[in-house]
């Protein structure tokens, strides 16, 4: 008769096996039916997650139900590696996102973002070179500035009362410090005397509705600000997952101990 720990680890892995099916299905759907390359790229991490979850759950399920100690050893080893990986990533994510925050523009609800405020690692590995070409393409395809092209934003006062996202603030308008003349939320005219400050973003700004400030450093900063928020949330999720996996790991150890003890008694019946 299976003990409670064996039954529990079998149930948990059965649920994991079932959960991996929709994850793999969604990843395959994204790979084949995505509207653009950005959505298609999202299918890759989902597929990796689905494969890991499927394989790990299958090993744990067979090991616990069939009482195969070698498979449970493998299951515990893989679970430990995942816990370690989550811990390392969470620590790394918190470390590289510790710097950087938007600066509130006085008299408005808008925050301007500066690229230099964020960590060197993020600048060099996320928004530099070839990586930025892909991100820029995704921003254009996703029409991140589309929500600002509304009639109710014809007055600057309305825009200044809004709480813009880091992407909208960095990519869809010039920095407020440039002193540009507001025509609408995505159309700004430089004063005849030129920009109020010697900022490269002031000269990079374009009223071409496909470009706007996507080539600006402030747009890169907005991407890093969004990434920082997402990574912080992911780090919290990882901690919750680690706690759950530690519980699963403990139950798995109990199940392995039960199987090992039963096997020992079977081969040493008179001791």
């Amino acid at each position: 008769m299976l003990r409670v720990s064996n039954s529990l680890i079998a149930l948990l892995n059965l649920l994991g096996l079932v959960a991996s099916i929709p994850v793999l299905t969604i990843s395959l759907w994204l790979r084949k039916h995505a509207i653009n390359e950005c959505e298609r790229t999202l299918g890759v991490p989902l597929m990796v997650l689905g494969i890991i979850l499927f394989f790990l759950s299958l090993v744990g399920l067979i090991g616990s139900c069939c009482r195969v100690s070698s498979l449970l050893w493998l299951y515990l080893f893989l679970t430990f590696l995942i816990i370690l990986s989550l811990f390392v990533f969470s620590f790394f994510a918190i470390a590289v996102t510790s710097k950087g925050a938007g600066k509130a523009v006085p008299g408005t609800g808008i925050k301007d973002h500066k690229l230099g405020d964020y960590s060197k690692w993020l600048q060099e590995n996320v928004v530099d070179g070839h990586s930025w070409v892909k991100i820029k393409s995704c921003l254009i395809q996703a029409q991140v500035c589309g929500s600002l092209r509304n009639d109710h934003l014809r007055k600057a006062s309305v825009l200044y009362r809004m709480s813009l996202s880091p992407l909208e603030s960095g990519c869809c308008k010039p920095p407020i410090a440039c002193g540009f003349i507001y025509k609408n939320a995505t159309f700004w005219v430089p004063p005849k005397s030129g920009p109020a400050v010697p900022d490269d973003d002031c000269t990079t700004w374009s009223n071409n509705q496909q470009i706007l400030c996507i080539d600006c450093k402030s747009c890169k900063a907005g991407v890093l600000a969004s990434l920082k928020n997402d990574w912080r949330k992911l780090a919290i999720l990882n901690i919750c997952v680690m706690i759950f996996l530690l519980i699963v790991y403990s139950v798995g150890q109990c199940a392995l101990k039960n199987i090992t003890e039963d096997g020992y008694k079977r081969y040493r019946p008179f001791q």
Side-chain angles (χ1 to χ4, degrees), residues 127-136 139 214 219-220 223:
V127 295
D128 239 12
H130 187 63
S131 297
W132 179 247
V133 174
K134 291 184 178 180
I135 294 173
K136 176 182 172 180
L139 293 175
I214 288 181
C219 186
K220 293 182 178 182
V223 170

Side-chain angles (χ1 to χ4, degrees), residues 12-207:
L12 289 173
N13 283 287
L14 179 61
L15 293 175
L17 196 65
V18 172
S20 69
I21 296 175
V23 174
L24 287 170
T25 302
I26 293 172
S27 67
L28 290 173
W29 186 89
L30 284 173
R31 296 283 291 176
K32 292 183 179 180
H33 300 94
I35 299 174
N36 52 54
E37 188 62 30
C38 304
E39 290 185 0
R40 194 172 292 111
T41 303
L42 290 175
V44 177
L46 276 178
M47 181 172 289
V48 173
L49 175 63
I51 292 173
I52 292 175
L53 183 60
F54 179 85
F55 178 75
L56 184 66
S57 300
L58 186 63
V59 170
L61 186 63
I62 296 174
S64 57
C65 290
C66 300
R67 305 175 70 79
V68 182
S69 59
S70 58
L71 286 181
L72 273 181
W73 273 110
L74 177 61
Y75 173 77
L76 290 174
F77 176 71
L78 294 175
T79 302
F80 174 77
L81 287 182
I82 293 173
I83 293 172
L84 182 62
S85 299
L86 289 174
F87 175 79
V88 171
F89 174 78
S90 299
F91 180 82
F92 174 77
I94 292 173
V96 298
T97 58
S98 60
K99 294 175 59 179
K103 293 181 174 61
V105 179
T108 74
I110 295 174
K111 289 184 178 180
D112 274 344
H113 301 269
K114 298 291 185 182
L115 183 60
D117 292 341
Y118 295 88
S119 73
K120 287 290 185 182
W121 188 92
L122 287 176
Q123 294 181 47
E124 293 173 358
N125 293 276
V126 178
V127 295
D128 239 12
H130 187 63
S131 297
W132 179 247
V133 174
K134 291 184 178 180
I135 294 173
K136 176 182 172 180
S137 175
C138 288
L139 293 175
I140 294 173
Q141 292 176 8
Q143 297 184 351
V144 294
C145 303
S147 62
L148 299 182
R149 300 189 184 105
N150 294 322
D151 291 339
H152 75 281
L153 293 175
R154 291 191 178 277
K155 292 183 178 181
S157 58
V158 178
L159 178 71
Y160 291 156
R161 288 197 301 268
M162 293 178 63
S163 179
L164 300 181
S165 70
L167 289 178
E168 290 174 333
S169 177
C171 307
C172 306
K173 65 168 187 56
I176 300 297
C178 294
F180 282 12
I181 301 169
Y182 182 96
K183 297 299 181 181
N184 63 47
T186 57
F187 196 95
W188 302 67
V189 179
K192 293 181 179 179
S193 58
V197 294
D199 190 327
D200 290 343
D201 284 357
C202 299
T203 55
T204 303
W205 165 262
S206 170
N207 282 313

Side-chain angles (χ1 to χ4, degrees), residues 1-8 67 258 261-262 265:
M1 181 178 178
L2 290 175
R3 299 183 185 181
V4 174
S5 58
N6 299 70
S7 301
L8 184 56
R67 305 175 70 79
N258 291 339
E261 288 178 351
D262 288 347
K265 291 177 181 178

